[in-house]
Amino acid sequence: MSEEKQRTESKKERKAQMEKAAAKLGWLQRQLKEEKIPVLITFDGLDAAGKGLQINRLIQALDPRGFDVYTGDRDGEEERMHPFLWRFATKTPANGRITIFDTSWYRHVQQDYFDGMTKEKDLDEAFTDILAFEKYLVDNGVLLIKFFLTIPEKEQKKRFDKLEQSEETAWRVTEADRARNREYKKYKKINEEMISRTSWIGAPWHTVDSTKKDAAALAIMNTVNRCMEQALEEKKRVKEPGIYEGPLPPDRYKKGILVKTDLSKTLEQKEYREKLDKLQKKAEKLHSELYRLRIPVVLCFEGWDAAGKGGAIKRLTSHLDPRGYQVCPTASPDNTEKAHDYLWRFWTRFPKDGHIAIFDRTWYGRVMVERIEGFCTEDDWRRAYDEINAMEAHLVHSGAVILKFWIHIDKDEQERRFNDRMKNPEKQWKITDEDWRNREKWDQYEEAVNEMLERTSTEKAPWIVVEGNSKYYARIKVLKTVVDALEEKIKEVEKAKKKHG
């Protein structure tokens, strides 16, 4: 057989293989939708390796109503004003849908690191954040498939030259692209380290040589098909409950942090008014400084029903510029929110740099109400402590201030406030049958809160237990804690700015 005929036969065979793989991919997409399995596919790799081309080849086999494609290689103004993972966390797929990223979060430890935008001192932190984010996605049911496309140095240069020959495509080659080609070996080493550090059992890297575009397209499609088949098989298996820790002392969380809280602390009205006025004026001034220095702030309010969260938030925000903060009340998730991982709805409301987000109830619902009421599995809520700590750590690494308040009252004080609300027509809307039912599970909730406080209070995202039997005392403690933390953060940022010019 002549060489030309061999090439023709080989081309026909590959075409037949592609058609077969494409048909299978379309079928698997429908199965994943039926099983409500979300899929996230990332395409990273060397410049000019053909990520866009390969994504286009892949999606031709998919129902266009079931996927979304995003690019992560450039930051708009909105992206620059949020933590790096925000742009990806807010676009994770809903159950049964597919999200594809042309360049993912790995840009942060790849291109940005090579270009000097990510500093070496921040590299370990970035890898930690990325791995925690991926583990969270996989543990919460997302099928994560990661591709890294490679081409040889000479082939990369050849493709750059070809792109630059046409006015229509020359813009796609930047000086940064050329610089990475000139230092191909150095950049390759960075990528090899990245792959070595971030290929793990839940989301291994799939490296594809994309010199031959058709062969690469077939390899990618076959890999996606294989991963999807494995996900469907895994869904059928009955999972054994995870083992997280050994036997605990019987009263470890029953007699925890809350029992040590001195609820007799109080404040007279005159002193309250004086301190309130002084602190609110300070907060107003600090809010302007936050905006000037582009410092994001996340304030979390949890506590017993009728503990006074709303009153504390009202006094905290009374002197703030309404354009610079948002109060985010958290109710039961709606259908859209239920179709995503449980942290998704909070990622969508995290503040821009220089802004404040105040959460009235938070992601800690997973380890309290969802745990107690059986809205999630034991595996889910036990795993959530580490997932939440990792998410908050990423916010802190991105420059945010995080303060978490648990407003504590005793059971008698709660009952008194419930009865006051029942008697007051203007406050009756605040009390529900569910509030009374929750009182019956007070001991269960107290144990869950003690465990939450112990396992998720960190140096950079601490829990502050607020003695709440006296509303005056509680409001002042919240305000003073916020003011002190903001003053400290502003000094820290100002000092850093002076040091680095």
XYZ file of all heavy atoms in Angstrom, residues 232-299:
571
model
N -20.691 7.698 36.223
C -21.994 7.025 36.251
C -21.928 5.723 37.044
O -22.849 5.393 37.795
C -22.468 6.756 34.823
C -22.922 7.999 34.042
C -23.033 7.694 32.555
C -24.248 8.525 34.581
N -20.831 4.998 36.892
C -20.652 3.760 37.656
C -20.544 4.058 39.149
O -21.120 3.362 39.985
C -19.391 3.024 37.181
C -19.552 2.308 35.863
C -20.592 1.206 35.916
O -20.599 0.452 36.914
O -21.402 1.119 34.977
N -19.805 5.113 39.466
C -19.624 5.505 40.873
C -20.946 5.895 41.504
O -21.205 5.601 42.675
C -18.639 6.682 40.945
C -18.332 7.193 42.343
C -17.532 6.214 43.187
O -16.923 5.277 42.608
O -17.510 6.383 44.411
N -21.808 6.532 40.721
C -23.110 6.965 41.243
C -23.963 5.757 41.655
O -24.765 5.839 42.590
C -23.834 7.774 40.157
C -25.175 8.354 40.571
C -25.013 9.690 41.245
C -26.368 10.223 41.688
N -26.561 11.605 41.427
N -23.753 4.633 40.960
C -24.553 3.442 41.243
C -24.100 2.731 42.517
O -24.863 1.988 43.122
C -24.466 2.465 40.066
C -25.114 2.980 38.788
C -24.874 1.998 37.650
C -25.419 2.544 36.330
N -25.096 1.642 35.190
N -22.838 2.960 42.886
C -22.312 2.246 44.051
C -22.885 2.805 45.346
O -23.117 4.000 45.479
C -20.781 2.365 44.110
C -20.081 1.664 42.957
C -18.601 1.481 43.274
N -17.896 1.095 42.063
C -17.115 1.908 41.366
N -16.924 3.152 41.765
N -16.506 1.493 40.271
N -23.094 1.942 46.302
C -23.529 2.382 47.631
C -22.283 2.765 48.414
O -21.402 1.932 48.641
C -24.301 1.268 48.362
C -24.687 1.733 49.760
C -25.523 0.869 47.549
N -22.216 4.018 48.821
C -21.018 4.491 49.528
C -21.099 4.182 51.013
O -22.138 4.370 51.650
C -20.842 5.994 49.315
C -20.526 6.357 47.876
C -20.249 7.840 47.760
C -19.908 8.218 46.334
N -19.646 9.667 46.189
N -19.981 3.712 51.538
C -19.898 3.487 52.979
C -19.679 4.831 53.673
O -19.000 5.707 53.143
C -18.718 2.573 53.296
C -18.878 1.154 52.763
C -20.029 0.421 53.409
O -20.287 0.684 54.609
O -20.685 -0.392 52.721
N -20.251 5.031 54.852
C -20.029 6.296 55.555
C -18.552 6.512 55.868
O -17.836 5.561 56.190
C -20.851 6.162 56.843
C -21.382 4.780 56.878
C -21.092 4.105 55.572
N -18.102 7.754 55.725
C -16.698 8.067 55.997
C -16.384 8.026 57.480
O -17.256 8.227 58.322
N -15.154 7.727 57.796
C -14.696 7.735 59.189
C -13.789 8.943 59.355
O -12.770 9.067 58.695
C -13.939 6.442 59.542
C -14.880 5.243 59.370
C -13.397 6.501 60.959
C -14.202 3.905 59.515
N -14.158 9.843 60.231
C -13.440 11.108 60.329
C -12.563 11.227 61.563
O -11.577 11.934 61.563
C -14.444 12.271 60.289
C -15.121 12.368 58.942
C -16.282 11.655 58.675
C -14.570 13.126 57.925
C -16.890 11.715 57.432
C -15.171 13.194 56.678
C -16.327 12.492 56.444
O -16.923 12.540 55.203
N -12.957 10.585 62.635
C -12.157 10.692 63.848
C -12.522 9.566 64.800
O -13.543 8.913 64.647
C -12.374 12.050 64.520
C -13.838 12.369 64.785
C -14.010 13.784 65.259
O -13.230 14.219 66.122
O -14.920 14.459 64.792
N -11.669 9.351 65.792
C -11.918 8.294 66.755
C -12.981 8.682 67.763
O -13.594 9.743 67.660
N -13.188 7.832 68.761
C -14.203 8.110 69.781
C -13.919 9.434 70.503
O -12.774 9.775 70.776
C -14.071 6.932 70.747
C -13.366 5.863 69.966
C -12.482 6.577 69.002
N -14.983 10.178 70.758
C -14.841 11.466 71.436
C -15.261 11.344 72.895
O -16.116 10.521 73.231
C -15.736 12.512 70.761
C -15.444 12.809 69.286
C -16.479 13.781 68.757
C -14.045 13.393 69.126
N -14.670 12.151 73.755
C -15.174 12.210 75.133
C -16.664 12.541 75.097
O -17.076 13.395 74.312
C -14.365 13.354 75.759
C -13.136 13.445 74.906
C -13.545 13.057 73.533
N -17.488 11.902 75.889
C -18.937 12.041 75.766
C -19.451 13.467 75.889
O -20.452 13.818 75.277
C -19.473 11.154 76.896
C -18.318 10.948 77.831
C -17.100 10.990 76.983
N -18.784 14.306 76.682
C -19.284 15.665 76.889
C -18.426 16.729 76.200
O -18.481 17.898 76.556
C -19.346 15.979 78.393
C -20.397 15.138 79.093
O -21.351 14.731 78.403
O -20.254 14.895 80.290
N -17.642 16.315 75.222
C -16.699 17.260 74.613
C -17.397 18.503 74.070
O -16.932 19.621 74.259
C -15.935 16.560 73.490
C -14.984 17.506 72.758
C -14.121 16.761 71.786
N -13.340 17.679 70.977
C -12.502 17.286 70.035
N -12.319 16.010 69.811
N -11.835 18.159 69.334
N -18.520 18.311 73.368
C -19.210 19.458 72.783
C -20.484 19.831 73.538
O -21.030 20.902 73.347
C -19.526 19.186 71.309
C -18.281 19.030 70.468
C -18.039 17.864 69.753
C -17.328 20.039 70.406
C -16.888 17.716 68.988
C -16.174 19.904 69.655
C -15.957 18.742 68.943
O -14.817 18.590 68.196
N -20.954 18.924 74.425
C -22.135 19.268 75.222
C -21.797 20.344 76.238
O -22.621 21.183 76.587
C -22.678 18.019 75.918
C -23.341 17.037 74.959
C -23.842 15.813 75.687
C -24.494 14.839 74.697
N -24.936 13.592 75.360
N -20.569 20.286 76.735
C -20.131 21.298 77.703
C -18.952 22.052 77.101
O -17.823 21.957 77.564
C -19.738 20.639 79.020
C -20.891 19.933 79.707
C -20.460 19.297 81.007
C -21.621 18.592 81.699
N -21.202 17.939 82.964
N -19.220 22.777 76.041
C -18.168 23.460 75.304
C -18.095 24.938 75.585
O -18.325 25.405 76.707
N -17.830 25.687 74.548
C -17.545 27.122 74.657
C -18.729 27.904 75.211
O -18.566 28.809 76.025
C -17.132 27.657 73.274
C -15.790 27.034 72.852
C -17.027 29.180 73.271
C -15.392 27.295 71.415
N -19.937 27.552 74.798
C -21.098 28.362 75.178
C -21.340 28.385 76.681
O -21.762 29.404 77.236
C -22.356 27.853 74.464
C -22.377 28.013 72.937
C -23.710 27.547 72.383
C -22.114 29.458 72.532
N -21.078 27.267 77.365
C -21.353 27.200 78.794
C -20.466 28.155 79.597
O -20.802 28.549 80.722
C -21.189 25.746 79.304
C -19.730 25.377 79.472
C -21.971 25.522 80.595
N -19.344 28.548 78.992
C -18.419 29.455 79.674
C -18.771 30.927 79.461
O -18.112 31.813 79.989
C -16.994 29.213 79.173
C -16.507 27.773 79.360
C -15.196 27.551 78.627
C -14.796 26.073 78.663
N -13.602 25.800 77.847
N -19.814 31.187 78.669
C -20.179 32.565 78.338
C -20.911 33.231 79.502
O -21.889 32.691 80.028
C -21.076 32.593 77.081
O -20.429 31.895 76.031
C -21.352 34.022 76.646
N -20.450 34.400 79.897
C -21.042 35.142 81.015
C -22.189 36.001 80.493
O -21.976 37.108 79.986
C -19.978 36.021 81.677
C -20.531 36.781 82.868
O -21.720 36.589 83.207
O -19.778 37.594 83.447
N -23.408 35.507 80.627
C -24.572 36.215 80.089
C -25.104 37.290 81.038
O -26.108 37.936 80.744
C -25.678 35.205 79.766
C -25.363 34.270 78.587
C -26.475 33.244 78.405
C -25.168 35.061 77.294
N -24.412 37.502 82.148
C -24.850 38.561 83.066
C -24.310 39.928 82.645
O -24.715 40.959 83.203
C -24.370 38.242 84.488
O -22.945 38.307 84.570
N -23.431 39.953 81.676
C -22.847 41.228 81.231
C -23.942 42.124 80.676
O -24.795 41.685 79.911
C -21.779 40.984 80.167
C -20.528 40.296 80.707
C -19.480 40.141 79.623
C -18.214 39.499 80.201
N -17.157 39.321 79.163
N -23.875 43.393 81.069
C -24.928 44.331 80.670
C -24.353 45.728 80.486
O -23.153 45.964 80.738
C -26.054 44.348 81.715
O -27.148 45.132 81.217
C -25.574 44.919 83.035
N -25.191 46.646 80.068
C -24.766 48.026 79.827
C -25.963 48.926 80.080
O -27.082 48.638 79.617
C -24.285 48.174 78.376
C -23.285 49.269 78.038
C -21.987 49.078 78.818
C -22.979 49.253 76.533
N -25.742 49.998 80.826
C -26.824 50.947 81.077
C -27.101 51.769 79.817
O -26.226 51.969 78.980
C -26.458 51.883 82.229
C -26.329 51.183 83.573
C -27.623 50.518 83.998
O -28.706 51.098 83.752
O -27.554 49.399 84.548
N -28.333 52.277 79.727
C -28.746 52.957 78.496
C -27.884 54.183 78.184
O -27.503 54.415 77.034
C -30.217 53.371 78.588
C -30.740 53.940 77.260
C -32.211 54.283 77.322
O -32.652 54.947 78.267
N -32.982 53.843 76.338
N -27.539 54.971 79.191
C -26.759 56.179 78.951
C -25.383 55.845 78.382
O -24.928 56.436 77.392
C -26.599 56.961 80.263
C -25.837 58.268 80.081
C -25.701 59.009 81.406
C -24.900 60.289 81.214
N -24.696 61.007 82.514
N -24.713 54.867 79.020
C -23.397 54.457 78.529
C -23.507 53.855 77.132
O -22.654 54.074 76.265
C -22.770 53.443 79.495
C -21.336 53.077 79.151
C -20.749 52.062 80.107
O -21.458 51.599 81.020
O -19.552 51.712 79.936
N -24.578 53.115 76.910
C -24.817 52.517 75.592
C -24.918 53.589 74.520
O -24.293 53.491 73.455
C -26.098 51.678 75.647
C -26.686 51.321 74.303
C -26.068 50.391 73.458
C -27.882 51.917 73.871
C -26.614 50.064 72.235
C -28.443 51.593 72.651
C -27.808 50.670 71.823
O -28.352 50.349 70.607
N -25.692 54.637 74.787
C -25.882 55.709 73.801
C -24.570 56.409 73.487
O -24.271 56.712 72.330
C -26.904 56.735 74.328
C -28.316 56.209 74.499
C -28.945 55.870 73.171
N -30.297 55.334 73.327
C -30.977 54.728 72.363
N -30.408 54.575 71.168
N -32.189 54.272 72.577
N -23.787 56.660 74.515
C -22.508 57.348 74.312
C -21.556 56.501 73.460
O -20.936 56.994 72.514
C -21.866 57.666 75.668
C -22.609 58.727 76.466
C -22.052 58.887 77.871
O -21.168 58.084 78.258
O -22.511 59.799 78.601
N -21.442 55.221 73.812
C -20.531 54.336 73.079
C -21.030 54.090 71.658
O -20.241 54.022 70.712
C -20.378 53.015 73.818
C -19.575 53.133 75.096
C -19.317 51.765 75.722
C -18.374 51.887 76.910
N -18.047 50.578 77.511
N -22.339 53.961 71.508
C -22.914 53.716 70.195
C -22.592 54.865 69.242
O -22.139 54.636 68.103
C -24.430 53.538 70.316
C -25.181 53.217 69.018
C -24.801 51.833 68.506
C -26.698 53.312 69.246
N -22.798 56.092 69.702
C -22.548 57.262 68.859
C -21.076 57.325 68.442
O -20.752 57.541 67.264
C -22.944 58.540 69.611
C -22.746 59.783 68.779
O -23.385 59.898 67.714
O -21.923 60.637 69.169
N -20.196 57.105 69.396
C -18.756 57.175 69.119
C -18.322 56.093 68.125
O -17.586 56.361 67.163
C -17.993 57.026 70.438
C -16.486 57.150 70.308
C -15.824 57.000 71.675
C -14.304 57.051 71.560
N -13.653 56.882 72.898
N -18.801 54.873 68.325
C -18.392 53.758 67.468
C -18.992 53.869 66.072
O -18.344 53.525 65.072
C -18.796 52.426 68.109
C -17.968 52.012 69.334
C -18.643 50.867 70.068
C -16.554 51.617 68.919
N -20.224 54.334 65.962
C -20.841 54.479 64.648
C -20.123 55.537 63.806
O -19.951 55.362 62.597
C -22.325 54.830 64.792
C -23.172 53.643 65.227
C -24.622 53.997 65.462
O -24.950 55.143 65.816
N -25.511 53.025 65.289
N -19.680 56.601 64.435
C -18.915 57.622 63.709
C -17.565 57.079 63.253
O -17.078 57.385 62.161
C -18.728 58.859 64.597
C -20.003 59.673 64.765
C -19.811 60.851 65.715
C -21.097 61.642 65.850
N -20.986 62.749 66.855
N -16.941 56.252 64.104
C -15.679 55.615 63.714
C -15.893 54.678 62.525
O -15.098 54.648 61.580
C -15.102 54.820 64.894
C -14.202 55.606 65.819
C -13.497 54.652 66.775
C -12.518 55.398 67.660
N -11.776 54.487 68.560
N -16.969 53.900 62.596
C -17.277 52.965 61.516
C -17.494 53.693 60.199
O -17.057 53.233 59.125
C -18.508 52.138 61.874
N -18.145 54.835 60.277
C -18.387 55.638 59.066
C -17.064 56.067 58.426
O -16.876 55.960 57.211
C -19.219 56.865 59.441
C -19.547 57.766 58.265
C -20.389 58.962 58.683
O -20.469 59.256 59.903
O -20.971 59.604 57.803
N -16.144 56.523 59.237
C -14.839 56.961 58.734
C -14.034 55.779 58.182
O -13.419 55.871 57.115
C -14.058 57.641 59.861
C -12.702 58.179 59.425
C -11.977 58.829 60.583
C -10.584 59.305 60.157
N -9.837 59.903 61.290
N -14.069 54.681 58.901
C -13.315 53.506 58.470
C -13.857 52.936 57.160
O -13.095 52.397 56.348
C -13.363 52.429 59.556
C -12.585 52.747 60.839
C -12.924 51.725 61.924
C -11.083 52.752 60.573
N -15.151 53.059 56.948
C -15.744 52.567 55.708
C -15.130 53.270 54.499
O -14.854 52.638 53.473
C -17.258 52.786 55.743
C -18.006 52.001 54.706
N -19.306 52.246 54.367
C -17.622 50.960 53.922
C -19.704 51.398 53.429
N -18.690 50.608 53.140
N -14.889 54.547 54.615
C -14.243 55.296 53.521
C -12.820 54.809 53.293
O -12.353 54.706 52.154
C -14.222 56.798 53.848
O -15.528 57.306 53.960
N -12.122 54.504 54.392
C -10.749 54.006 54.274
C -10.712 52.632 53.609
O -9.821 52.336 52.810
C -10.104 53.928 55.663
C -9.827 55.287 56.293
C -8.791 56.060 55.490
O -7.622 55.669 55.489
O -9.188 57.047 54.826
N -11.689 51.808 53.945
C -11.776 50.488 53.308
C -11.901 50.616 51.802
O -11.252 49.896 51.038
C -12.992 49.714 53.833
C -12.995 49.256 55.289
C -14.341 48.631 55.619
C -11.875 48.252 55.538
N -12.735 51.562 51.377
C -12.948 51.757 49.947
C -11.677 52.280 49.283
O -11.283 51.822 48.210
C -14.110 52.722 49.714
C -14.474 52.863 48.262
C -15.256 51.883 47.624
C -14.028 53.947 47.510
C -15.587 51.998 46.291
C -14.346 54.060 46.168
C -15.131 53.089 45.560
O -15.443 53.190 44.221
N -11.019 53.216 49.943
C -9.790 53.804 49.382
C -8.704 52.754 49.225
O -7.990 52.737 48.217
C -9.302 54.938 50.295
C -8.012 55.603 49.813
C -7.620 56.745 50.726
N -7.221 56.311 52.048
C -5.994 55.880 52.354
N -5.049 55.824 51.431
N -5.704 55.525 53.600
N -8.592 51.855 50.204
C -7.540 50.847 50.186
C -7.976 49.532 49.539
O -7.192 48.594 49.463
C -7.069 50.575 51.620
C -6.399 51.766 52.316
C -6.189 51.468 53.797
C -5.075 52.108 51.650
N -9.228 49.492 49.089
C -9.770 48.310 48.403
C -9.702 47.047 49.282
O -9.251 45.992 48.868
C -9.033 48.082 47.084
C -9.300 49.160 46.037
C -10.748 49.043 45.565
N -11.038 49.923 44.429
C -11.607 51.129 44.520
N -11.917 51.600 45.723
N -11.874 51.842 43.449
N -10.151 47.186 50.524
C -10.172 46.051 51.458
C -11.588 45.483 51.524
O -12.523 46.188 51.908
C -9.735 46.487 52.871
C -8.306 47.051 52.842
C -9.834 45.317 53.850
C -7.893 47.726 54.142
N -11.780 44.219 51.164
C -13.113 43.614 51.287
C -13.350 43.112 52.708
O -12.413 42.690 53.392
C -13.062 42.451 50.295
C -11.613 42.072 50.238
C -10.808 43.325 50.527
N -14.596 43.144 53.131
C -14.943 42.726 54.499
C -16.144 41.781 54.451
O -17.136 42.064 53.768
C -15.268 43.948 55.385
C -15.676 43.503 56.785
C -14.083 44.902 55.445
N -16.052 40.677 55.185
C -17.156 39.720 55.299
C -17.501 39.588 56.780
O -16.662 39.197 57.594
C -16.757 38.342 54.729
C -17.897 37.344 54.941
C -16.403 38.447 53.247
N -18.733 39.927 57.121
C -19.211 39.839 58.502
C -20.339 38.812 58.561
O -21.306 38.908 57.795
C -19.704 41.199 58.994
C -18.689 42.353 58.917
C -19.338 43.656 59.378
C -17.459 42.046 59.754
